[in-house]
């Protein structure tokens, strides 16, 4: 059958507006709107049959019940709903009236067309209203992760707006020990701060086991600058609570929910964070980022360098210490989940590489050791052996007890790619 024969069967079910006719053949002749496509078919058939041309106003159409003629009105509804929002990208969605969806199915069945012929009203409405919204607002359409998503309910003539998060990237240094990376809710009161209508004695009514975290020292200025509702903190791994994060810092992303301002000045934001953190934490390299940066920060394979203060249970000779470092340099380490974290980590054996290890013995029972290793290498256990759960280890090779008394993270860098890829930043 030809497209004109199919169109004749559709038009036989008049009154049908041009857009509803054209939607049945939306896959034909790109560059036309459905209304133009339907009008062309109606005109061609009228000429071929030498019959008077009779158009159909959308308000008379039994399929869309007039909705195909109201795209300008629908766009105005969306623009009004977005008023006051700050956004660069958008997407429009449509909730079509159930009756219109039923009518479209019925038309294709009566006209003996494939069930999925052309496109549905919902798709056309998304496109036609979306184009008009773009012209009115100057924003760009984004089908992946728009700043705002406006869903038009055609039947009730309402618009629901979802404001997607905004993201700020940077690197942080933690300059005081005893500060966790993220909020640590009290386990006794489940973070409420109360127990049986009284302040929780475990957390002194704060709801947190630790009064401050890197998250709590960095996120509030970002929320304020972006006029957001709340924020989530995402780090490229995490250091122990009693470890410092020094050197080049650890990559992180602050995700701000419901932002009303998406373009804070990064330099001013960096200054605001550092002032707020009061020398407990400091940040650098603040950039506005895309949402993909969260996955990059959390999933990019990273290598890390640590500086550990080590205490030995018995005197260690210079020769023995140097030989032990040489044996561990470049070694493949088998680590069972450390006892100190197995309550929150899966019990399994991890295989990790030691890329580089060097150190200096400061006296018979103390040393400073620097280790660069594959992400996920447990440094404290590499030193102590964790009662034989890590093999080989510094303690095991030396044959003496060894303990990390202080640990600093010096660098966190991507194994093969840099975290700071321009593809993931926004202007």
């Amino acid at each position: 059958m030809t497209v004109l024969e199919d169109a004749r069967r559709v038009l036989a079910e008049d009154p049908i507006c041009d857009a509803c006719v054209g939607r049945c053949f939306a896959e034909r002749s790109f560059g036309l709107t459905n209304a133009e496509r339907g009008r062309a078919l109606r005109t061609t058939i009228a000429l071929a049959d030498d019959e008077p041309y009779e158009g159909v106003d959308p308000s008379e159409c039994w399929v869309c019940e007039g909705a195909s003629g109201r795209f300008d009105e629908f766009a105005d509804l969306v623009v009004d709903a977005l008023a006051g929002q700050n956004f660069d990208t958008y997407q429009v969605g449509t909730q079509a009236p159930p009756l219109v969806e039923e009518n479209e199915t019925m038309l294709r069945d009566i006209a003996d067309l494939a069930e999925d012929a052309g496109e549905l009203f919902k798709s056309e409405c998304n496109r036609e209203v979306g184009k008009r919204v773009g012209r009115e607002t100057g924003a760009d359409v984004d089908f992946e992760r728009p700043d705002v998503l406006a869903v038009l309910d055609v039947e009730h003539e309402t618009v629901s707006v979802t404001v997607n998060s905004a993201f700020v990237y940077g690197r942080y240094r933690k300059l005081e020990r005893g500060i966790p990376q993220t909020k640590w809710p009290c386990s006794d009161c489940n973070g409420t701060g109360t127990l049986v209508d009284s302040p929780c004695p475990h957390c002194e009514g704060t709801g947190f086991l630790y009064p401050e975290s890197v998250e709590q020292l960095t996120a509030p200025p970002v929320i304020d600058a972006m006029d957001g509702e709340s924020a989530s903190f995402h780090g490229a791994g995490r250091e122990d609570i009693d470890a410092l994060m020094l050197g080049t810092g650890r990559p992180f992303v602050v995700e701000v929910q419901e932002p009303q301002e998406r373009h804070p000045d990064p330099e001013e934001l960096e200054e605001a964070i550092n002032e707020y953190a009061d020398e407990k934490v400091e940040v650098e390299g603040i950039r506005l980022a895309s949402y993909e940066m969260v996955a990059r920060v959390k999933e990019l394979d990273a290598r890390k360098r640590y500086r550990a203060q080590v205490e030995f249970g018995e005197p260690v000779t210079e020769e023995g210490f140097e030989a032990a470092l040489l044996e561990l340099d470049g070694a493949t380490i088998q680590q069972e989940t450390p006892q100190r974290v197995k309550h929150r980590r899966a019990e399994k054996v991890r295989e990790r590489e030691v890329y580089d290890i060097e150190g200096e013995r400061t006296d018979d029972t103390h040393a400073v050791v620097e280790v660069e290793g594959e992400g996920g290498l447990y440094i404290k256990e590499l030193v102590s052996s964790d009662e034989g759960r890590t093999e080989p280890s510094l303690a095991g090779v030396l044959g003496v007890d060894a303990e990390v008394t202080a640990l600093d993270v010096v660098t966190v860098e991507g194994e093969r790619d840099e975290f700071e890829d321009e593809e993931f930043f926004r202007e």
Side-chain angles (χ1 to χ4, degrees):
M1 293 183 184
T2 68
V3 66
L4 289 181
E5 289 173 327
D6 289 341
R8 288 180 187 277
R9 294 197 306 277
V10 171
L11 288 170
E13 305 305 320
D14 266 355
I16 302 177
C17 69
D18 291 338
C20 287
V21 174
R23 275 201 307 279
C24 294
F25 308 95
E27 72 278 3
R28 304 295 292 260
S29 187
F30 295 108
L32 297 172
T33 66
N34 284 325
E36 291 170 340
R37 190 174 287 111
R39 189 176 305 114
L41 289 169
R42 194 188 300 272
T43 301
T44 300
I45 291 172
L47 287 169
D49 294 347
D50 194 17
E51 294 288 343
Y53 173 85
E54 295 182 6
V56 174
D57 190 274
S59 63
E60 300 174 358
C61 178
W62 67 270
V63 178
C64 71
E65 298 190 316
S68 296
R70 302 182 60 200
F71 293 141
D72 288 340
E73 297 175 45
F74 296 152
D76 289 342
L77 287 175
V78 173
V79 171
D80 288 345
L82 294 174
Q85 297 291 344
N86 187 318
F87 61 97
D88 300 315
T89 59
Y90 73 97
Q91 183 181 356
V92 171
T94 300
Q95 183 176 337
L99 183 58
V100 171
E101 294 181 322
E102 291 176 12
N103 290 344
E104 290 187 301
T105 299
M106 185 186 305
L107 174 62
R108 283 161 177 73
D109 183 53
I110 295 172
D112 198 25
L113 300 179
E115 184 178 343
D116 60 350
E119 67 176 350
L120 299 178
F121 169 79
K122 178 168 63 176
S123 297
E124 181 179 25
C125 190
N126 290 346
R127 182 177 60 256
E128 293 300 325
V129 173
K131 289 191 298 186
R132 290 161 171 80
V133 170
R135 288 196 296 265
E136 289 293 320
T137 63
D140 296 321
V141 67
D142 182 345
F143 298 112
E144 297 296 325
R145 177 77 180 196
D147 294 339
V148 292
L149 168 64
V151 178
L152 168 70
D153 184 327
V154 172
E155 185 175 15
H156 298 100
E157 299 185 15
T158 58
V159 178
S160 61
V161 176
T162 299
V163 179
N164 283 323
S165 300
F167 304 86
V168 170
Y169 170 87
R171 285 176 175 261
Y172 75 82
R173 286 183 286 273
K174 190 177 77 177
L175 308 179
E176 288 189 9
R177 303 187 193 279
I179 299 176
Q181 185 186 82
T182 55
K183 298 174 185 177
W184 198 314
C186 173
S187 56
D188 281 14
C189 66
N190 293 319
T192 64
T194 60
L195 206 60
V196 194
D197 297 327
S198 298
C200 174
H202 192 202
C203 65
E204 299 181 345
T206 65
F208 300 103
L209 291 183
Y210 297 87
E212 295 177 315
S213 64
V214 175
E215 176 181 8
Q216 290 163 294
L217 291 168
T218 58
V222 183
I223 297 172
D224 289 344
M226 291 190 153
D227 193 15
E229 292 293 326
S230 58
S232 300
F233 189 95
H234 309 280
R238 61 177 67 216
E239 65 284 339
D240 290 339
I241 291 175
D242 59 354
L244 300 181
M245 180 64 241
L246 304 174
T248 58
R250 186 182 297 277
F252 72 94
V253 173
V254 174
E255 176 182 353
V256 179
Q257 286 84 34
E258 298 283 335
Q260 299 303 306
E261 171 55 59
R262 292 180 177 271
H263 300 283
D265 182 272
E267 292 184 5
E268 293 180 3
L269 184 54
E270 185 171 309
E271 292 177 5
I273 296 171
N274 286 332
E275 181 178 355
Y276 185 83
D278 194 26
E279 299 184 351
K280 299 170 185 175
V281 170
E282 65 181 11
V283 301
E284 65 178 22
I286 293 297
R287 300 278 301 272
L288 304 182
S290 65
Y291 80 98
E292 292 97 342
M293 183 57 91
V294 172
R296 185 171 183 81
V297 160
K298 295 178 78 69
E299 298 173 8
L300 187 68
D301 290 336
R303 56 197 299 153
K304 301 165 186 177
R305 191 170 190 87
Y306 299 83
R307 183 183 300 120
Q309 304 286 337
V310 179
E311 182 175 358
F312 301 112
E314 300 175 24
V316 172
T317 65
E318 185 72 34
E319 294 77 10
F321 179 64
E322 292 294 337
L325 295 183
L326 186 61
E327 184 170 335
L328 292 174
D329 194 19
T332 298
I333 310 299
Q334 303 289 329
Q335 292 190 309
E336 294 182 48
T337 301
Q339 298 180 73
R340 64 188 172 90
V341 300
K342 65 180 183 179
H343 64 285
R344 54 188 169 89
R345 297 285 171 85
E347 183 72 37
K348 64 179 182 179
V349 176
R350 296 169 176 81
E351 186 175 279
R352 295 292 186 269
E353 300 294 322
V354 174
Y355 297 140
D356 178 64
I357 184 169
E358 57 189 42
E360 179 182 356
R361 196 179 62 122
T362 55
D363 60 40
D364 287 353
T365 56
H366 296 86
V368 177
V369 177
E370 284 205 6
V371 182
E372 183 171 352
E374 185 179 358
L377 177 66
Y378 290 104
I379 301 303
K380 290 179 179 179
E381 287 67 29
L382 177 67
V383 170
S384 71
S385 91
D386 194 26
E387 299 181 358
R389 296 168 69 86
T390 289
E391 291 289 345
S393 68
L394 184 59
V397 174
L398 286 170
V400 302
D401 290 339
E403 178 186 5
V404 173
T405 58
L407 183 67
D408 302 333
V409 187
V410 180
T411 59
V412 178
E413 300 296 343
E415 286 275 12
R416 292 169 293 277
D417 301 315
E418 296 294 331
F419 283 94
E420 292 83 0
D421 187 322
E422 290 298 321
E423 177 186 349
F424 298 91
F425 295 120
R426 299 182 66 168
E427 296 299 328

